[in-house]
Coordinates of all heavy atoms in Angstrom, one line a residue:
M265 N 0.8 -1.2 0.0 CA 0.0 0.0 0.0 C 0.9 1.3 0.0 O 0.6 2.2 -0.7 CB -0.9 0.0 1.2 CG -1.8 1.2 1.3 SD -2.6 1.4 2.8 CE -1.3 2.0 3.9
T266 N 1.9 1.2 0.8 CA 2.8 2.4 0.9 C 3.5 2.7 -0.4 O 3.6 3.8 -0.9 CB 3.8 2.2 2.0 OG1 3.1 1.9 3.2 CG2 4.7 3.4 2.2
I267 N 4.0 1.6 -1.1 CA 4.7 1.8 -2.3 C 3.7 2.3 -3.4 O 4.1 3.2 -4.2 CB 5.4 0.4 -2.8 CG1 6.5 0.1 -1.8 CG2 5.9 0.5 -4.2 CD1 7.0 -1.3 -1.9
F268 N 2.5 1.7 -3.4 CA 1.5 2.1 -4.4 C 1.2 3.6 -4.2 O 1.1 4.4 -5.2 CB 0.3 1.2 -4.3 CG -0.7 1.5 -5.3 CD1 -0.5 1.2 -6.7 CD2 -2.0 1.9 -5.0 CE1 -1.4 1.4 -7.6 CE2 -3.0 2.1 -5.9 CZ -2.7 1.9 -7.3
S269 N 1.0 4.0 -2.9 CA 0.7 5.4 -2.6 C 1.8 6.3 -3.1 O 1.6 7.4 -3.6 CB 0.4 5.6 -1.1 OG -0.7 4.9 -0.8
S270 N 3.1 5.9 -2.9 CA 4.2 6.7 -3.3 C 4.3 6.9 -4.8 O 4.6 8.0 -5.3 CB 5.5 6.1 -2.7 OG 5.5 6.1 -1.4
V271 N 4.0 5.8 -5.5 CA 4.0 5.9 -6.9 C 2.9 6.8 -7.5 O 3.2 7.7 -8.3 CB 3.9 4.4 -7.6 CG1 3.7 4.5 -9.1 CG2 5.2 3.6 -7.3
L272 N 1.7 6.6 -6.9 CA 0.6 7.5 -7.4 C 0.9 8.9 -7.0 O 0.6 9.9 -7.7 CB -0.7 7.0 -6.8 CG -1.3 5.7 -7.4 CD1 -2.5 5.3 -6.6 CD2 -1.5 5.9 -8.9
G273 N 1.5 9.1 -5.8 CA 1.8 10.5 -5.3 C 2.8 11.2 -6.2 O 2.7 12.4 -6.5
S274 N 3.8 10.4 -6.7 CA 4.8 11.0 -7.6 C 4.2 11.4 -8.9 O 4.7 12.3 -9.6 CB 6.0 10.1 -7.8 OG 5.6 8.9 -8.5
F275 N 3.2 10.7 -9.3 CA 2.5 11.0 -10.6 C 1.5 12.2 -10.5 O 1.4 13.0 -11.4 CB 1.8 9.8 -11.2 CG 2.7 8.8 -11.8 CD1 2.7 7.5 -11.4 CD2 3.6 9.2 -12.8 CE1 3.5 6.6 -12.0 CE2 4.5 8.3 -13.4 CZ 4.4 6.9 -12.9
F276 N 0.7 12.2 -9.4 CA -0.4 13.1 -9.3 C -0.3 14.3 -8.4 O -1.0 15.2 -8.4 CB -1.7 12.3 -8.9 CG -2.1 11.3 -10.0 CD1 -2.0 10.0 -9.8 CD2 -2.5 11.8 -11.2 CE1 -2.4 9.1 -10.7 CE2 -2.9 10.9 -12.2 CZ -2.8 9.5 -11.9
I277 N 0.7 14.2 -7.5 CA 0.9 15.3 -6.5 C 2.2 16.1 -6.8 O 3.3 15.5 -6.8 CB 0.9 14.8 -5.0 CG1 -0.4 14.0 -4.7 CG2 1.1 15.9 -4.1 CD1 -0.3 13.4 -3.4
P278 N 2.1 17.4 -7.1 CA 3.3 18.1 -7.4 C 4.2 18.2 -6.1 O 3.7 18.3 -5.0 CB 2.9 19.5 -7.8 CG 1.5 19.6 -7.4 CD 0.9 18.2 -7.2
D279 N 5.5 18.2 -6.3 CA 6.4 18.2 -5.1 C 6.6 19.7 -4.7 O 7.6 20.3 -5.1 CB 7.7 17.6 -5.4 CG 8.6 17.3 -4.2 OD1 8.0 17.5 -3.1 OD2 9.7 16.9 -4.4
D280 N 5.6 20.3 -4.1 CA 5.6 21.6 -3.6 C 6.3 21.7 -2.3 O 5.8 21.2 -1.3 CB 4.2 22.2 -3.5 CG 4.2 23.6 -3.2 OD1 5.2 24.3 -3.2 OD2 3.1 24.1 -2.9
G281 N 7.5 22.3 -2.2 CA 8.3 22.3 -1.0 C 7.6 23.1 0.1 O 7.7 22.7 1.3
A282 N 6.9 24.1 -0.2 CA 6.2 24.9 0.9 C 5.1 24.1 1.5 O 4.8 24.2 2.7 CB 5.6 26.2 0.3
W283 N 4.4 23.3 0.8 CA 3.2 22.5 1.3 C 3.7 21.3 2.2 O 3.0 21.0 3.2 CB 2.4 22.0 0.1 CG 1.2 21.3 0.5 CD1 1.0 19.9 0.6 CD2 0.0 21.8 1.0 NE1 -0.2 19.6 1.1 CE2 -0.9 20.7 1.3 CE3 -0.5 23.1 1.2 CZ2 -2.2 20.9 1.8 CZ3 -1.8 23.3 1.6 CH2 -2.6 22.2 1.9
F284 N 4.7 20.7 1.9 CA 5.2 19.5 2.6 C 6.3 19.7 3.5 O 7.1 18.8 3.9 CB 5.6 18.4 1.6 CG 4.4 17.9 0.7 CD1 4.4 18.2 -0.6 CD2 3.4 17.1 1.3 CE1 3.3 17.8 -1.4 CE2 2.4 16.7 0.5 CZ 2.3 17.0 -0.8
K285 N 6.5 21.0 4.0 CA 7.6 21.3 4.9 C 7.3 20.5 6.2 O 6.2 20.4 6.6 CB 7.6 22.8 5.3 CG 8.4 23.6 4.3 CD 8.5 25.0 4.7 CE 9.3 25.8 3.7 NZ 9.3 27.2 4.1
P286 N 8.2 20.1 7.0 CA 9.7 20.0 6.8 C 10.1 18.7 6.2 O 11.3 18.5 6.0 CB 10.2 20.1 8.2 CG 9.2 19.4 9.0 CD 7.9 19.7 8.3
F287 N 9.2 17.8 5.7 CA 9.6 16.5 5.3 C 9.7 16.3 3.8 O 10.6 15.6 3.4 CB 8.6 15.4 5.9 CG 8.4 15.4 7.4 CD1 7.3 15.9 8.0 CD2 9.5 15.0 8.1 CE1 7.2 15.9 9.3 CE2 9.4 15.0 9.5 CZ 8.2 15.4 10.1
G288 N 8.9 16.8 3.1 CA 8.8 16.5 1.7 C 7.7 15.6 1.3 O 7.1 15.0 2.2
R289 N 7.3 15.6 0.1 CA 6.1 14.8 -0.4 C 6.2 13.3 -0.1 O 5.3 12.7 0.5 CB 5.9 15.0 -1.9 CG 4.8 14.2 -2.4 CD 4.7 14.2 -3.9 NE 5.9 13.5 -4.4 CZ 6.5 13.7 -5.6 NH1 6.0 14.6 -6.4 NH2 7.6 13.1 -6.0
D290 N 7.3 12.7 -0.4 CA 7.5 11.3 -0.3 C 7.4 10.9 1.2 O 6.8 9.9 1.5 CB 8.7 10.8 -1.0 CG 8.7 11.1 -2.5 OD1 7.6 11.1 -3.0 OD2 9.8 11.2 -3.0
V291 N 8.1 11.6 2.0 CA 8.1 11.3 3.5 C 6.7 11.5 4.1 O 6.3 10.7 4.9 CB 9.2 12.1 4.2 CG1 9.2 11.8 5.7 CG2 10.6 11.7 3.7
A292 N 6.0 12.5 3.6 CA 4.7 12.8 4.1 C 3.7 11.6 3.7 O 2.9 11.2 4.5 CB 4.1 14.1 3.6
I293 N 3.9 11.1 2.5 CA 3.1 9.9 2.1 C 3.4 8.7 3.0 O 2.5 8.0 3.4 CB 3.3 9.6 0.6 CG1 2.7 10.7 -0.2 CG2 2.7 8.3 0.2 CD1 3.0 10.7 -1.7
I294 N 4.7 8.5 3.3 CA 5.1 7.3 4.1 C 4.6 7.5 5.5 O 4.1 6.5 6.1 CB 6.6 7.1 4.0 CG1 7.0 6.7 2.6 CG2 7.1 6.1 5.1 CD1 8.5 6.7 2.4
I295 N 4.7 8.7 6.1 CA 4.2 8.9 7.4 C 2.7 8.7 7.5 O 2.2 8.1 8.4 CB 4.6 10.3 7.9 CG1 6.1 10.4 8.2 CG2 3.8 10.7 9.2 CD1 6.6 11.8 8.5
T296 N 2.0 9.1 6.5 CA 0.5 8.9 6.4 C 0.2 7.4 6.3 O -0.7 6.9 7.0 CB -0.1 9.7 5.3 OG1 0.2 11.1 5.4 CG2 -1.6 9.5 5.2
A297 N 0.9 6.7 5.5 CA 0.7 5.3 5.4 C 1.0 4.5 6.7 O 0.2 3.6 7.1 CB 1.5 4.7 4.3
I298 N 2.0 4.9 7.4 CA 2.4 4.2 8.6 C 1.3 4.5 9.7 O 0.9 3.6 10.4 CB 3.8 4.7 9.1 CG1 4.8 4.1 8.2 CG2 4.0 4.3 10.6 CD1 6.2 4.6 8.5
T299 N 0.8 5.8 9.7 CA -0.3 6.1 10.7 C -1.5 5.4 10.4 O -2.2 4.9 11.3 CB -0.5 7.6 10.6 OG1 0.7 8.3 10.8 CG2 -1.6 8.1 11.6
Y300 N -1.9 5.2 9.1 CA -3.0 4.5 8.7 C -2.9 3.0 9.1 O -3.9 2.4 9.6 CB -3.2 4.6 7.2 CG -4.4 3.9 6.6 CD1 -5.7 4.4 6.7 CD2 -4.2 2.6 5.9 CE1 -6.7 3.7 6.2 CE2 -5.3 2.0 5.4 CZ -6.6 2.5 5.5 OH -7.7 1.9 5.0
L301 N -1.8 2.4 8.8 CA -1.6 1.0 9.2 C -1.6 0.8 10.7 O -2.2 -0.2 11.2 CB -0.2 0.5 8.7 CG -0.1 0.2 7.2 CD1 1.3 -0.1 6.8 CD2 -1.1 -0.9 6.8
F302 N -1.0 1.7 11.5 CA -1.1 1.7 13.0 C -2.5 1.7 13.4 O -2.9 1.0 14.3 CB -0.3 2.8 13.6 CG -0.3 2.8 15.1 CD1 0.4 1.8 15.8 CD2 -1.0 3.8 15.7 CE1 0.4 1.8 17.1 CE2 -1.0 3.8 17.1 CZ -0.3 2.8 17.8
G303 N -3.3 2.6 12.8 CA -4.7 2.7 13.2 C -5.5 1.4 12.9 O -6.3 1.0 13.7
Q304 N -5.2 0.7 11.8 CA -5.8 -0.5 11.5 C -5.4 -1.6 12.5 O -6.3 -2.4 13.0 CB -5.4 -1.0 10.1 CG -6.1 -0.3 9.0 CD -5.7 -1.0 7.6 OE1 -4.7 -1.7 7.5 NE2 -6.5 -0.7 6.6
F305 N -4.2 -1.6 12.9 CA -3.7 -2.6 13.9 C -4.4 -2.3 15.3 O -4.8 -3.3 16.0 CB -2.2 -2.6 14.1 CG -1.5 -3.1 13.0 CD1 -0.4 -2.5 12.5 CD2 -1.8 -4.4 12.4 CE1 0.3 -3.0 11.4 CE2 -1.1 -4.9 11.4 CZ 0.0 -4.3 10.9
V306 N -4.6 -1.1 15.7 CA -5.3 -0.8 16.9 C -6.7 -1.2 16.9 O -7.2 -1.8 17.8 CB -5.1 0.8 17.2 CG1 -6.0 1.2 18.4 CG2 -3.7 1.1 17.6
V307 N -7.4 -0.9 15.8 CA -8.8 -1.3 15.7 C -8.9 -2.8 15.7 O -9.8 -3.3 16.3 CB -9.4 -0.7 14.4 CG1 -10.8 -1.3 14.1 CG2 -9.5 0.8 14.5
R308 N -8.1 -3.5 15.0 CA -8.1 -5.0 15.0 C -7.8 -5.5 16.4 O -8.4 -6.5 16.8 CB -7.2 -5.6 14.0 CG -7.6 -5.3 12.6 CD -6.6 -5.9 11.6 NE -7.0 -5.6 10.2 CZ -6.4 -6.0 9.2 NH1 -5.3 -6.7 9.3 NH2 -6.8 -5.7 8.0
W309 N -6.9 -4.9 17.1 CA -6.6 -5.4 18.5 C -7.8 -5.2 19.4 O -8.1 -6.0 20.2 CB -5.3 -4.6 18.9 CG -5.0 -4.9 20.3 CD1 -4.4 -6.1 20.8 CD2 -5.1 -4.1 21.5 NE1 -4.2 -6.0 22.1 CE2 -4.6 -4.8 22.6 CE3 -5.6 -2.8 21.7 CZ2 -4.6 -4.2 23.9 CZ3 -5.6 -2.3 22.9 CH2 -5.1 -3.0 24.0
I310 N -8.4 -4.0 19.3 CA -9.6 -3.7 20.1 C -10.7 -4.7 19.7 O -11.4 -5.2 20.6 CB -10.0 -2.3 20.0 CG1 -9.0 -1.4 20.6 CG2 -11.4 -2.0 20.6 CD1 -9.2 0.1 20.3
R311 N -10.9 -4.9 18.5 CA -12.0 -5.8 18.0 C -11.8 -7.2 18.4 O -12.7 -7.9 18.8 CB -12.0 -5.7 16.5 CG -13.0 -6.6 15.8 CD -14.2 -6.0 15.5 NE -15.0 -7.1 14.9 CZ -16.2 -6.9 14.5 NH1 -16.8 -5.7 14.6 NH2 -16.9 -7.9 14.0
R312 N -10.5 -7.7 18.4 CA -10.2 -9.0 18.8 C -10.5 -9.3 20.3 O -10.8 -10.3 20.7 CB -8.7 -9.3 18.5 CG -8.4 -10.8 18.8 CD -7.0 -11.1 18.3 NE -6.1 -10.0 18.2 CZ -4.8 -10.1 18.3 NH1 -4.2 -11.2 18.7 NH2 -4.1 -9.0 18.1
G313 N -10.3 -8.2 21.1 CA -10.5 -8.3 22.5 C -12.0 -8.1 23.0 O -12.3 -8.3 24.1
S314 N -12.9 -7.8 22.0 CA -14.3 -7.6 22.4 C -15.0 -8.9 22.8 O -14.7 -9.9 22.2 CB -15.0 -6.8 21.3 OG -15.2 -7.7 20.2
P315 N -15.9 -8.8 23.8 CA -16.6 -10.0 24.3 C -17.5 -10.6 23.2 O -17.7 -11.8 23.2 CB -17.4 -9.5 25.5 CG -16.9 -8.2 25.8 CD -16.2 -7.7 24.6
S316 N -18.0 -9.9 22.3 CA -18.9 -10.4 21.3 C -18.2 -11.4 20.3 O -18.9 -12.2 19.7 CB -19.6 -9.3 20.5 OG -18.6 -8.5 19.8
E317 N -16.9 -11.2 20.2 CA -16.2 -12.1 19.3 C -15.8 -13.4 20.0 O -15.4 -14.4 19.3 CB -14.9 -11.4 18.8 CG -15.2 -10.2 17.9 CD -15.8 -10.7 16.6 OE1 -15.3 -11.7 16.0 OE2 -16.7 -10.0 16.1
K318 N -15.9 -13.5 21.3 CA -15.5 -14.7 22.0 C -16.6 -15.7 22.3 O -16.6 -16.5 23.2 CB -14.9 -14.3 23.3 CG -13.6 -13.5 23.2 CD -13.0 -13.2 24.5 CE -11.7 -12.4 24.3 NZ -11.0 -12.1 25.5
K319 N -17.6 -15.8 21.4 CA -18.7 -16.7 21.6 C -18.3 -18.1 21.2 O -17.6 -18.4 20.4 CB -19.9 -16.3 20.8 CG -20.5 -15.0 21.4 CD -21.8 -14.7 20.6 CE -22.4 -13.5 21.2 NZ -23.6 -13.1 20.4

């Protein structure tokens, strides 16, 4: 997902230095992907621990 996002970002998002300060476009895409994946892991962890799933 991260690689695909980076490739699409390089094609469709201009590398505007002022917009992506202080990291740059590619690093901003990677940070967003890592945050998204961490959120998915947290939701799955909470969901796995819910009593409704332990029937």
